Amino acid sequence: MARGKKIYEGKAKTLFEGPEPGTIIQYFKDDATAFNAVKKDTIDGKGALNNLLSEHIMVGLGNIGLPTHFIRRLNMREQLIHQVEIVPLEIIVRNVAAGSFSKMFNIEEGTPLPRPIVEFCLKDDDLGDPLVSEEHILAMNWASSHEIDDMREIALRVNDFLAGLMFGIGIKLVDFKIEVGRQYEEGMQRLILADEISPDSCRLWDMETNQKLDKDVFRRDLGSLTDAYSEVARRLGILPKNTAASGPKLVE
Ligand code: TMP
Ligand code: ASP
């Protein structure tokens, strides 16, 4: 499919104009970054794996009635999506203490939380994506009160779906991050799920061994990132069986 001009280049994805107005081509790069790009590498196969994994999850969410930006996957690297106006917030849901939550409250990683906790962070790398309150969001006009309610509802629906999906393949959903966007259609405005959902934006632990199958493998130098992501894809049945843990040779 003919690609239009580049609209935006992020750390893990690049966006190009799509073939029709209101559409965008989302290209998944092999770049991995952590700690706001202080740590960087290029990891062969990561982009293709995240493209497949995000497609699988977005299609599943669409099937249970949650509107997403996903239209269809175009090839191993690219998917066609609806254009949205991204809300400048990262919405995090936590089921188990880990990462910045464990650090902030000095709670051991792996401690189950009494209920899912929804957090909002400002999407601003220069500031290190700081945690923000509803008060901040409303006062600074990053989202309306109605949108905050919608973001919570979307985040918790994604949590239920994703936790169940992962449970089915022996994986514990520790936490994840989503982004949403405003879609304008026939004079109406609504929030839909945008960006990606992949092991880049989730913490996924093997249920039996607690082995990490997500970007913490890269952040904490725990081994091969593509092995970890391939394992998730293999368990979900979206990788051909003969391309398992030794690293997929995914063709462009
Ligand atoms: P945290 O514990 O570092 O705050 O991360 C919480 C979740 O959000 C974890 O699943 C990783 C994900 N995340 C992103 O997707 N992007 C980010 O920039 C950060 C900081 C976290
Ligand atoms: N996404 C952020 C970065 O690329 C932080 C992270 O995922 O750890 O630096």
Side-chain angles (χ1 to χ4, degrees):
M1 178 178 296
R3 224 200 250 153
K5 74 169 196 283
K6 191 197 280 190
I7 303 174
Y8 175 81
E9 178 147 11
K11 294 190 296 269
K13 298 183 294 295
T14 307
L15 303 181
F16 298 91
E17 274 176 354
E20 287 143 36
T23 64
I24 285 188
I25 293 174
Q26 176 165 254
Y27 177 96
F28 287 76
K29 302 196 279 186
D30 278 342
D31 297 349
T33 65
F35 316 117
N36 288 320
V38 170
K39 183 176 164 93
K40 283 186 219 180
D41 206 348
T42 301
I43 295 172
D44 252 6
K46 181 178 91 90
L49 282 161
N50 280 350
N51 187 18
L52 286 174
L53 285 159
S54 197
E55 172 194 19
H56 186 76
I57 294 166
M58 294 272 178
V59 166
L61 285 165
N63 284 340
I64 63 157
L66 189 99
T68 82
H69 73 167
F70 183 84
I71 303 173
R72 66 176 187 278
R73 184 166 60 78
L74 299 171
N75 52 52
M76 290 311 280
R77 290 272 171 192
E78 296 173 320
Q79 45 185 247
L80 188 67
I81 59 173
H82 292 291
Q83 182 166 28
V84 292
E85 177 190 298
I86 290 285
V87 174
L89 297 168
E90 301 199 338
I91 310 158
I92 293 171
V93 182
R94 302 181 186 274
N95 299 304
V96 175
S100 65
F101 184 91
S102 285
K103 212 171 262 170
M104 187 170 355
F105 299 111
N106 192 23
I107 297 177
E108 193 181 342
E109 285 209 321
T111 310
L113 299 171
R115 47 172 249 198
I117 295 176
V118 180
E119 292 174 354
F120 296 98
C121 295
L122 181 64
K123 207 172 133 58
D124 187 326
D125 280 347
D126 293 340
L127 299 178
D129 299 339
L131 190 63
V132 292
S133 67
E134 266 190 57
E135 186 89 4
H136 291 136
I137 297 172
L138 292 173
M140 303 305 290
N141 210 19
W142 293 319
S144 69
S145 153
H146 183 72
E147 287 176 330
I148 294 176
D149 291 346
D150 283 356
M151 288 188 282
R152 263 184 218 294
E153 191 193 318
I154 292 170
L156 291 172
R157 283 182 77 188
V158 172
N159 189 44
D160 284 346
F161 173 82
L162 202 54
L165 181 71
M166 293 299 159
F167 178 82
I169 56 167
I171 291 175
K172 193 192 295 178
L173 177 65
V174 171
D175 57 31
F176 66 89
K177 183 267 302 187
I178 55 167
E179 295 181 26
V180 298
R182 298 182 181 105
Q183 188 182 40
Y184 300 91
E185 239 175 30
E186 292 158 16
M188 302 270 285
Q189 183 194 311
R190 63 172 183 170
L191 289 185
I192 65 173
L193 183 65
D195 189 49
E196 71 178 290
I197 301 185
S198 73
D200 265 12
S201 53
C202 302
R203 283 198 175 91
L204 304 171
W205 296 357
D206 180 83
M207 209 106 75
E208 307 253 292
T209 63
N210 277 340
Q211 184 194 349
K212 296 183 194 334
L213 299 170
D214 56 61
K215 203 164 104 179
D216 274 346
V217 170
F218 170 73
R219 293 189 191 97
R220 304 180 188 189
D221 295 317
L222 300 175
S224 157
L225 195 73
T226 43
D227 281 1
Y229 289 20
S230 302
E231 176 61 15
V232 179
R234 189 191 61 77
R235 290 193 200 184
L236 285 170
I238 56 176
L239 262 198
K241 288 218 165 38
N242 58 356
T243 56
S246 63
K249 283 280 163 276
L250 292 164
V251 180
E252 291 280 324

